[in-house]
Amino acid sequence: MQATTVAIVTGASRGLGQALAMGLLGPDTYLCTVARTRNTELAARAAQSGAQLQQIQCDLADPAAAEQTATRIMGSLPTDAQRYLLINNAGIVDPVGQADQLLQASAITAALTLNITSVMLLTAAFVQASKPRQADSRILNISSGAGRNPTPGWSVYCASKAALDHYTRVLACENHGVRAVALAPGVIDTAMQHAIRGAAPADFPNVAKFQQLHEQGQLSSPEATAARILRYIVRDDFGDTVLDDIRNYD
């Protein structure tokens, strides 16, 4: 069956990425996911829904692997879809620690590669592949409030998300014929949040705040957030606000 929508989602093995991928499955969709591990639940759901699914196992924190994956994905996309979506969701908060303790270049480099370099690589390949097709092409970069507000202990994460925001603004003003948004998704109950709550206060002074959010049930579920994002990404005004927050919408 011909796909009317082609969607690419990174970080789809769990959490928000998995929920986004699940929500995109449908008989008229070609879905390509990128994650370090294969998602058997997603594969089973795709078979039930009649969706076309390609799962690519790749560690996007490895620059060479990220580059190869970007080229591979864009060379295999259906050419006659009506809409093309790229959702750059993969990200990592580590390394967590005060700025004067960030002494391991490998940890910093891996985080920056995953959070921003892989986004640039996938986006460049996506734009090159989708532009000749003159279809409705949209890029959604999952950002964070941490990129817009300094958070002690999150130097690397804040810096990478701030870079992601500004990169998205540059992409949008270059006018490549694609709509691009950097979207803060709010605080979600994911494995990342679990790791954050386990951080040492000396490394992350705001840990008590996140523990309290969890205890008070103020974290959104991945499924609820994904549903809101998928409604957002097909809006007619998508791209009008380049730096956005899903909490501004129902």
Side-chain angles (χ1 to χ4, degrees), residues 41-197:
E41 184 180 354
L42 185 62
R45 186 75 63 85
Q48 293 172 358
S49 67
Q52 302 174 61
L53 173 66
Q54 178 186 21
Q55 295 194 67
I56 296 179
Q57 292 180 233
C58 171
D59 182 1
L60 291 174
D62 178 340
E67 184 176 345
Q68 293 169 4
T69 295
T71 302
R72 174 185 172 187
I73 291 174
M74 302 316 162
S76 63
L77 294 183
T79 60
D80 50 3
Q82 298 172 14
R83 173 174 286 162
Y84 291 83
L85 305 174
L86 170 61
I87 303 179
N88 288 304
N89 164 76
I92 188 172
V93 71
D94 291 329
V96 175
Q98 299 290 291
D100 61 352
Q101 299 300 312
L102 297 175
L103 300 172
Q104 292 185 324
S106 59
I108 297 170
T109 300
L112 294 177
T113 299
L114 177 59
N115 292 355
I116 184 64
T117 304
S118 70
V119 172
M120 292 181 170
L121 292 169
L122 286 165
T123 297
F126 179 82
V127 170
Q128 288 190 18
S130 63
K131 185 181 293 188
R133 298 166 190 178
Q134 299 182 332
D136 178 9
S137 299
R138 305 181 179 205
I139 298 170
L140 182 68
N141 294 327
I142 299 299
S143 187
S144 170
R148 302 164 194 180
N149 300 284
T151 303
W154 279 1
S155 297
V156 176
Y157 187 61
C158 287
S160 65
K161 291 301 183 180
L164 180 65
D165 282 353
H166 209 53
Y167 166 72
T168 308
R169 294 175 69 187
V170 172
L171 176 68
C173 75
E174 287 178 347
N175 192 24
H176 292 283
V178 301
R179 307 188 200 186
V181 171
L183 183 72
V187 186
I188 311 169
D189 193 7
T190 63
M192 179 184 289
Q193 278 295 316
H194 183 271
I196 289 170
R197 294 194 297 273

Side-chain angles (χ1 to χ4, degrees), residues 217-235:
Q218 296 183 36
L219 302 180
S220 176
S221 72
E223 293 74 20
T225 303
R228 294 172 72 183
I229 291 174
L230 293 178
R231 290 195 298 270
Y232 172 84
I233 201 172
V234 297
R235 289 172 60 103

